[in-house]
């Protein structure tokens, strides 16, 4: 028998919400969302992130445009950008008279993890308040323009953009997309490549449809997502951020 | 008045647990933790991760050693490694007859985010079950040996190692370390460098102690953490993983 409790049920029910009613996120709700982010586990209790609350409507429109033209980024009641911040602590070290090394790739990945872990606590907190949320991964695109818009110095990298608000009834009623079966993504001890037959079965089980066409579905998804302009731009842009750390 | 509910209170109460009783994590608890991870938000519903359940005692000891010699990795009842997996979907694309591009830095950062978001849902689920957890960021170190131990192919990168178990009473009673004040880590719209005076005030407020010595504390922390051998190793090792994507 699967275990149920309030927390597990909320984690299971949570789904991305991209359309919001006109209701605001109240200051108390915003504070609870941020507090949950702060309470997240963080490496050495360093909080290797800075959170930008994007309140300026013009900046929201700019970000909506830079994030693959998604108007919801401008329209959402609350929009937070979680930045992996590899700058605060070295600045503090120097202020204290130390001479720290330059930030490296390990610092970036650790801060990316810190920022995403905090972001997910914000999502969970919002869900508990009846608020919907959506990650916008496209914030990784257009590094030069995003840096300019958010005044990001070196060693500060966008990890996640999150929007929050009250879901419309239609959004709240949408089904949650199916996940892979556990055996497709969990393995004992070492990483095994799935055989092609297993991969086909994994995707068919996830689709749930009797007439699932693996070849057509994966080719279309590859063209629409993985080989899309925005996906290629994301890797170009991410490489710009990485340069600081290499 | 701050908002309280069951979820918010649990997120606030959760703290890292590194010592566990001899009680096991039951199969039902393990299933609930994994299910919560699967239910996490995931870019395009792709689940860009693979989770390794490290059940082999010898492998646990190897990982404990590779993670900066932390015996808790071997001793914990449950140990999950969350891998950013940029390999599953391209393999499926190729199986379907597509010719996808090579994975790039954007794919890596997106998958790192996906894996960490899923990992944090696992942590939240564990807390709701009365189980303690701890992230071990050191899994990013020793890339060559970790790759060999976990049989990681190219484009599969450790994002987080998590241990779980029943907290000892002593661990459960430990206070949660203080965070920065909200104004130290949340800003409106753009990234401002904190002035040196603000940085000093941020750290003093976080320490809570009247006799806080910023210079001594930050110099000691820099030497112990940021300029430590393990931190330098983490950046060397992360660069090895990054090579696949550049």
């Amino acid at each position: 028998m699967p275990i149920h409790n309030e927390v597990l049920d909320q984690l299971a029910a949570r789904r991305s919400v991209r359309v919001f009613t006109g209701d605001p996120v109240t200051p108390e709700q915003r504070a609870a969302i941020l507090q949950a982010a702060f309470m997240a586990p963080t490496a050495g209790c360093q909080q290797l992130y800075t959170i930008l609350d994007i309140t300026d409507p013009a900046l929201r429109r700019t970000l909506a445009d830079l994030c693959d033209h998604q108007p919801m980024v401008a329209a959402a009641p609350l929009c937070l950008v979680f930045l992996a911040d590899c700058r605060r602590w070295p600045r503090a070290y120097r202020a204290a008279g130390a001479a720290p090394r330059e930030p490296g790739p390990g610092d970036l990945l650790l801060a990316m993890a810190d920022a995403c872990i905090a972001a997910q606590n914000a999502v969970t907190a919002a869900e508990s308040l009846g608020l919907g949320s959506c990650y916008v991964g496209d914030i990784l695109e257009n590094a030069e323009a995003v840096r300019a818009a958010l005044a990001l110095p070196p060693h500060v990298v966008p990890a996640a953009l999150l929007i929050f608000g009250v879901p419309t009834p239609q959004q709240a009623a949408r089904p949650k997309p199916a996940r892979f079966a556990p055996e497709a993504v969990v393995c004992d001890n070492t990483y095994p490549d799935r055989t092609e037959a297993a991969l086909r079965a994994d995707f068919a089980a996830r689709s749930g449809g009797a007439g699932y066409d693996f070849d057509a579905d994966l080719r279309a998804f590859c063209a629409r997502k993985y080989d899309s302009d925005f996906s290629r731009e994301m890797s170009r842009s991410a490489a710009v951020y990485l340069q600081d750390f290499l």
Side-chain angles (χ1 to χ4, degrees), chain A:
Chain A
M1 277 287 289
I3 304 175
H4 285 282
N5 64 39
E6 177 70 16
V7 171
L8 296 176
D9 290 349
Q10 288 198 20
L11 294 178
R14 188 269 171 199
R15 53 150 304 135
S16 294
V17 172
R18 296 178 176 82
V19 188
F20 307 103
T21 69
D23 298 311
V25 172
T26 69
E28 293 75 16
Q29 289 171 329
R30 175 185 175 278
I33 288 168
L34 288 170
Q35 182 65 13
F38 306 149
M39 291 294 103
T42 164
C45 201
Q46 294 173 90
Q47 297 179 262
L48 299 169
Y49 52 78
T50 289
I51 303 171
L52 301 183
D53 182 359
I54 313 297
T55 56
D56 177 44
L59 181 55
R60 284 286 203 98
R61 289 191 295 271
T62 300
L63 287 182
D65 200 38
L66 292 173
C67 289
D68 200 34
H69 313 289
Q70 297 189 75
M72 65 186 185
V73 172
L78 177 65
C79 171
L80 302 177
V81 178
F82 285 73
L83 302 167
D85 190 337
C86 299
R87 183 169 171 91
R88 174 186 292 112
W89 283 79
R91 286 188 75 238
Y93 296 143
R94 281 191 291 270
R101 61 178 173 76
E102 285 294 297
D107 301 296
L108 173 61
L109 296 187
L110 199 64
M112 290 288 296
D114 238 46
C116 291
I117 289 165
Q120 183 53 16
N121 260 23
V123 163
T124 301
E127 180 75 17
S128 82
L129 299 167
L131 296 173
S133 60
C134 187
Y135 282 95
V136 180
D138 304 86
I139 191 64
L140 271 170
E141 298 161 26
N142 299 304
E144 299 85 351
V146 167
R147 271 183 167 165
L150 303 179
L152 303 186
H155 303 127
V156 177
V157 179
L161 183 151
L162 273 169
I163 53 173
F164 301 90
V166 177
T168 61
Q170 191 185 31
Q171 286 276 308
R174 286 196 310 155
K176 181 160 174 157
R179 267 51 175 176
F180 288 115
E183 57 270 26
V185 288
V186 181
C187 315
D188 276 345
N189 297 308
T190 54
Y191 186 95
D193 268 330
R194 303 288 282 171
T195 62
E196 184 180 321
L199 272 179
R200 288 178 175 270
D202 293 345
F203 280 83
R206 175 174 172 272
S207 83
Y212 179 67
D213 184 338
F214 175 88
D215 290 2
D217 182 54
L218 269 292
R219 282 191 215 180
F221 195 84
C222 183
R224 192 172 77 247
K225 283 274 199 183
Y226 192 74
D227 268 332
S228 67
D229 287 347
F230 73 78
S231 182
R232 290 170 182 271
E233 164 56 23
M234 190 182 289
S235 275
R236 185 207 65 82
S237 173
V240 173
Y241 291 116
L242 286 183
Q243 278 307 318
D244 286 354
F245 298 90
L246 295 174

